[in-house]
Amino acid sequence: MGDRATGQVPNYDLGIGITEGPSRTDFGGADRETLLVTKSAQLRRCWHPVAFVSHVGGGPEQRRLLGVDLVVWRSSDNIIRAALDRCPHRWAQLSAGTVVDGRIICPYHGWQFDPTGTAVVIPQLSKSDVIPPTACLEMVATREAFGMVWAILDRDEVGPIPTLPEFGDPSFRSIEVSVTRYETNAAAIIDNNTDATHVAFVHAASFGAGQDPMITPPDAHRTPFGIEISAAELSIAESPDTKEQGSRQTKTEMWLPFTQISRMDYSDGTTHILLKGCCPIDDGLTDVHLTVLRNDVENPADTEGVIAFERGVELEDKVVLDGLPAEFPLDVRLQTHVKHDRPGIEYRRALADFIHSAG
Ligand code: FES
Ligand SMILES: [Fe+2]
């Protein structure tokens, strides 16, 4: 039981949870910290997935990251580039322009920019005129990983892009499922994925059908990248490959700030891996890029069926998560917890430490 006067939460290492608590008015003071993604300088120093590589084709794409509009395009050196979506001339949106021979062309007066963002053609100038040295885009660094384009607003990076050794391993196939837009904070989406107790309710129409809410509380601990969650072995009526009764062991890595990698090992030897890369578009707005890896290369399940199932699960979560506030409670005293919520508490604490680590 927590201390009602101070709002201290109990020691969850002992597995003790609050089942009743002080009224909301006892909590909720101005000193109780919440996170709005656009207000955090630390998040600008992190890599975030802004698109699937496969979605960046012949034209410019507009994306928003932490409230900042970006243009993303494939440049003449076949590298995916990003810049602020603002032409240096009259601030037109380059994302409304075109890409020709890998050069991005502004729709307003036709200025053309090379892969470094430097204007190389200004149609109004003759060859003898000098192109102003400030005729440059404000470039944003990008990298490609796991079929996603990652971008960082501030080059003073504070954390790596997550690692996923199975991606590219020939014993796994990769399925790009979807980008789902949620109307809530990116941290709330990761928190949802730390939480096994919602499955019996939110996913009652799919994989949570008939699930007993009285599950064994999962274990969670800090790692250098964030937290790792181990769920108790779960009996399942049907294994993915053999269709026989078996069991599933799930381990989830939450990479700070907003990436989830869950590995589900089935007793029949099948492994499914879920990669969820959350892009914090703005306060209260998040795109979740979902890719699934499966080691069923020899006898693959129907890909369209896999996509439809995973997409359906996302939409079930969306119904609830879209109603959550834009602010995410970093201070665990703002909410009431029970013993099953320990992974979510660990995530809040790890995220708060990470946000504060810039000083
Ligand atoms: S605003 Fe882009 S060329 Fe003028
Ligand atoms: Fe869910």
Side-chain angles (χ1 to χ4, degrees):
M1 185 73 63
D3 183 319
R4 290 174 181 235
T6 64
Q8 291 294 310
V9 291
N11 181 352
Y12 280 88
D13 291 340
L14 300 177
I16 302 168
I18 297 176
T19 51
E20 57 178 316
S23 68
R24 294 296 81 180
T25 50
D26 291 335
F27 284 142
D31 59 332
R32 305 291 195 239
E33 189 186 16
T34 58
L35 173 68
L36 278 172
V37 294
T38 62
K39 301 291 184 289
S40 168
Q42 189 77 330
L43 292 178
R44 295 168 66 91
R45 303 185 190 106
C46 301
W47 293 96
H48 302 281
V50 294
F52 276 119
V53 171
S54 63
H55 292 183
V56 184
E61 296 280 334
Q62 189 181 50
R63 293 292 186 273
R64 181 177 288 185
L65 175 59
L66 298 169
V68 177
D69 284 332
L70 304 178
V71 58
V72 178
W73 78 103
R74 192 178 289 276
S75 60
S76 55
D77 50 10
N78 205 28
I79 292 174
I80 295 178
R81 308 280 181 176
L84 301 197
D85 194 13
R86 192 171 62 182
C87 178
H89 181 217
R90 288 295 177 269
W91 294 0
Q93 289 187 315
L94 291 148
S95 57
T98 50
V99 175
V100 176
D101 297 332
R103 285 184 188 168
I104 186 160
I105 305 177
C106 180
Y108 201 175
H109 309 94
W111 291 21
Q112 299 185 16
F113 301 88
D114 74 5
T116 69
T118 304
V120 288
V121 173
I122 294 183
Q124 296 77 15
L125 300 184
S126 66
K127 281 205 169 105
S128 58
D129 289 322
V130 174
I131 291 179
T134 54
C136 298
L137 306 183
E138 292 183 62
M139 299 296 285
V140 169
T142 54
R143 284 192 201 153
E144 293 181 25
F146 328 125
M148 298 174 193
V149 183
W150 299 69
I152 187 168
L153 294 179
D154 183 335
R155 286 173 188 246
D156 188 15
E157 71 175 85
V158 291
I161 293 173
T163 55
L164 178 52
E166 293 90 346
F167 191 89
D169 179 334
S171 57
F172 282 85
R173 67 190 179 113
S174 166
I175 302 171
E176 208 171 275
V177 174
S178 60
V179 183
T180 306
R181 180 153 298 181
Y182 287 85
E183 293 177 22
T184 192
N185 190 298
I189 292 164
I190 294 298
D191 180 51
N192 166 257
N193 287 285
T194 68
D195 167 20
T197 58
H198 76 282
V199 171
F201 301 94
V202 174
H203 303 298
S206 58
F207 72 105
Q211 184 168 310
D212 184 351
M214 294 283 284
I215 60 169
T216 307
D219 182 48
H221 64 271
R222 291 275 192 107
T223 65
F225 56 76
I227 66 166
E228 188 170 84
I229 303 164
S230 305
E233 192 162 359
L234 190 72
S235 294
I236 51 171
E238 199 174 86
S239 299
D241 193 23
T242 60
K243 307 298 175 200
E244 291 172 0
Q245 193 170 9
S247 63
R248 183 180 71 210
Q249 189 86 51
T250 305
K251 271 198 191 319
T252 295
E253 299 173 355
M254 294 303 185
W255 289 70
L256 293 170
F258 305 131
T259 300
Q260 171 198 357
I261 297 173
S262 290
R263 291 181 175 81
M264 285 155 278
D265 293 315
Y266 293 86
S267 50
D268 68 353
T270 307
T271 296
H272 297 167
I273 301 172
L274 248 62
L275 165 65
K276 284 190 182 181
C278 300
C279 177
I281 301 172
D282 214 327
D283 294 324
L285 214 54
T286 306
D287 272 351
V288 175
H289 302 79
L290 172 59
T291 289
V292 174
L293 305 184
R294 301 166 63 107
N295 68 345
D296 59 354
V297 260
E298 299 287 322
N299 185 22
D302 172 52
T303 301
E304 291 309 313
V306 171
I307 291 173
F309 172 79
E310 298 293 350
R311 178 77 180 142
V313 171
E314 287 286 295
L315 296 179
E316 288 172 344
D317 281 318
K318 185 173 158 59
V319 169
V320 176
L321 295 181
D322 279 359
L324 300 186
E327 292 181 313
F328 182 76
L330 288 179
D331 189 323
V332 295
R333 293 170 294 182
L334 281 165
Q335 296 172 310
T336 304
H337 311 277
V338 294
K339 59 188 177 183
H340 294 76
D341 295 321
R342 187 173 162 210
I345 290 171
E346 289 297 338
Y347 174 63
R348 283 160 176 73
R349 288 175 171 159
L351 182 62
D353 288 349
F354 179 74
I355 295 290
H356 296 148
S357 61

